[in-house]
Amino acid sequence: MTKTRIASLLLALVMLVCVFAGCGKETAAAITFRDTVISENEFIYWMSTYKGVFLQSMGTTVDNAAYWSAKLTEDITYGDYFNVMALSGIMSNAVSLQLFNEYGLTLTNEEINAVDSAINDLITSAGGRNILNSYLTAYGINLNMLRDVKLGSLKVAKLQEYLYGENGIESATDAELAKYYNDNYYRIKFIVLRTDKDYVLDENGEAILDTESGSYLTRDLTDAEADAKRALAKDLELRLTSGEDFEELLEEYTMDMGMLHFEDGYYINASSQIVEDSVKTAAASMAIGEIKSVETELGCYIIKRYELREDAWKDEAYAPYMFADLKTSANSVKMQETFGSFSDEIILNDMVVGSYPLANCTANFYY
């Protein structure tokens, strides 16, 4: 798993709405924050649920012990790493639930009824309450507990909307958004020569757009054609070293139509999906004005990094495509900082928490 994939996963984890509520006093307390208690059973359930989330993020629903014992670093396994991430998520959501009560927020009857309706659907699908309860034992809970955690999920959703929604009382200000933009984004342009495919051209040498799919028509390259593209990339690198203009060569040679459409190039961060991971990694290590070459499975990239344009995140030509998650990400940072300030008040029952490492829990994909 790449560092970028991990970073994207962490962002999704922070904003994931998963909480624990209700029956914390029925069994031993795993986590306590003020008046909110996460019971041992609830802890098992949520470790199982996070495990399912992590596996799905890796594109699988097969729980293989090798995933968790594999080394992320010399001293840390993926099991260790994701165990800490899940525990952090559980503690954060305990804080959210407590704050929901302290801010005096409530659920509507319609929201409560929706949860009850969803629970009844699960009972019907399983073939009865007893059968569903037997399924839920794999995750440490019963039907009553499942209802409680689902109601708790709604509470956290409301708390997060109240604090960090469009009109949230703690939502990131323009100044905070600008800081996040300046601290986390890079602006790049690149010449890309695809070594797997090429555009189908019309009689005027223009790429042909398929009006039904909205994509340009392509054809597979032969090995000889792919080698020719690599040779061209080397030639372009030499021409740039000799002083030829990067943007002129880009306009003539790049096979990325978006690069020609967006005058500024691309604004990217660690979670951007519009470029390959290796391109993002290269951009993050480059100085303003530097040019670097990267070859991937798709082709040869010649990348140049540019200075950020002030407040580009407000530009409607770019905002929907490159900054759609900027506010969510900035609010996520604020939420982590806020919740981190409560860390001294969170009480962990080490005996309970240590008894259920994520790697040993049953992955929950269903409930």
Side-chain angles (χ1 to χ4, degrees):
M1 180 182 292
T2 66
K3 291 182 179 178
T4 300
R5 187 75 178 273
I6 291 170
S8 299
L9 176 59
L10 286 178
L11 178 60
L13 172 62
V14 168
M15 300 310 294
L16 186 65
V17 178
C18 299
V19 297
F20 323 90
C23 48
K25 296 181 180 178
E26 294 182 4
T27 58
I31 299 172
T32 304
F33 176 66
R34 297 179 184 170
D35 299 326
T36 297
V37 177
I38 309 306
S39 74
E40 180 175 4
N41 294 82
E42 292 167 325
F43 185 80
I44 297 169
Y45 170 81
W46 287 110
M47 291 298 279
S48 295
T49 300
Y50 274 116
K51 188 176 189 179
V53 170
F54 295 145
L55 285 170
Q56 287 177 319
S57 76
M58 292 185 278
T60 184
T61 56
V62 177
D63 186 4
N64 188 327
Y67 293 146
W68 315 112
S69 60
K71 292 287 188 179
L72 176 61
T73 67
E74 184 177 349
D75 301 318
I76 301 174
T77 66
Y78 278 99
D80 296 333
Y81 178 78
F82 287 125
N83 192 77
V84 171
M85 292 302 101
L87 180 59
S88 176
I90 297 172
M91 291 189 294
S92 294
N93 285 307
V95 171
S96 294
L97 187 56
Q98 180 65 28
L99 295 182
F100 177 90
N101 293 330
E102 293 184 6
Y103 279 114
L105 304 179
T106 59
L107 297 179
T108 65
N109 288 333
E110 289 78 9
E111 289 168 332
I112 295 171
N113 290 338
V115 168
D116 288 334
S117 177
I119 295 292
N120 287 333
D121 288 343
L122 289 174
I123 292 171
T124 300
S125 297
R129 294 180 65 87
N130 290 339
I131 296 175
L132 181 55
N133 267 324
S134 69
Y135 294 159
L136 293 175
T137 58
Y139 315 114
I141 61 168
N142 57 31
L143 264 171
N144 291 334
M145 294 178 184
L146 182 64
R147 180 178 186 271
D148 285 336
V149 295
K150 296 302 182 184
L151 290 173
S153 295
L154 293 181
K155 292 178 180 180
V156 164
K158 274 200 164 183
L159 182 279
Q160 291 183 349
E161 181 65 23
Y162 178 74
L163 293 179
Y164 305 108
E166 188 63 31
N167 299 306
I169 64 173
E170 296 292 338
S171 188
T173 64
D174 275 4
E176 289 169 328
L177 292 174
K179 183 178 187 306
Y180 187 87
Y181 162 68
N182 288 317
D183 289 347
N184 294 278
Y185 278 81
Y186 312 101
R187 180 163 77 97
I188 61 170
K189 296 184 180 182
F190 53 74
I191 302 166
V192 58
L193 301 173
R194 295 281 295 269
T195 54
D196 60 339
K197 296 180 182 297
D198 204 349
Y199 292 115
V200 177
L201 306 179
D202 62 18
E203 63 274 11
N204 298 316
E206 300 292 334
I208 299 174
L209 181 66
D210 183 345
T211 54
E212 290 188 7
S213 67
S215 301
Y216 287 94
L217 298 178
T218 60
R219 63 177 181 83
D220 292 336
L221 293 182
T222 65
D223 289 344
E225 289 173 322
D227 288 340
K229 292 285 188 181
R230 295 186 181 94
L232 176 58
K234 293 294 184 184
D235 180 60
L236 293 179
E237 291 172 29
L238 291 174
R239 291 167 65 179
L240 288 166
T241 301
S242 298
E244 291 198 40
D245 185 76
F246 180 86
E247 299 207 13
E248 289 182 3
L249 293 179
L250 181 150
E251 186 171 351
E252 182 176 357
Y253 290 104
T254 193
M255 292 183 63
D256 187 290
M257 294 302 177
M259 192 56 54
L260 299 177
H261 175 75
F262 295 105
E263 184 178 351
D264 286 358
Y266 289 161
Y267 294 92
I268 63 171
N269 66 0
S271 61
S272 296
Q273 300 299 310
I274 56 177
V275 297
E276 295 187 75
D277 284 356
S278 55
V279 175
K280 288 186 284 188
T281 300
S285 67
M286 294 168 65
I288 304 299
E290 183 180 354
I291 296 174
K292 181 178 289 188
S293 297
V294 174
E295 184 170 359
T296 74
E297 292 183 1
L298 292 183
C300 301
Y301 288 82
I302 304 174
I303 310 160
K304 183 174 181 179
R305 182 173 170 186
Y306 290 72
E307 189 172 5
L308 290 175
R309 178 164 63 86
E310 185 176 358
D311 290 343
W313 54 276
K314 294 182 179 180
D315 190 331
E316 288 303 316
Y318 297 89
Y321 307 100
M322 303 174 200
F323 302 111
D325 67 347
L326 184 145
K327 188 170 186 178
T328 298
S329 300
N331 280 332
S332 173
V333 171
K334 289 196 70 175
M335 184 171 71
Q336 291 179 70
E337 291 173 349
T338 298
F339 288 9
S341 68
F342 299 123
S343 60
D344 290 344
E345 296 183 64
I346 298 173
I347 301 171
L348 295 183
N349 183 331
D350 292 333
M351 183 173 295
V352 172
V353 169
S355 297
Y356 304 101
L358 178 137
N360 293 351
C361 293
T362 302
N364 177 20
F365 305 107
Y366 312 107
Y367 308 108

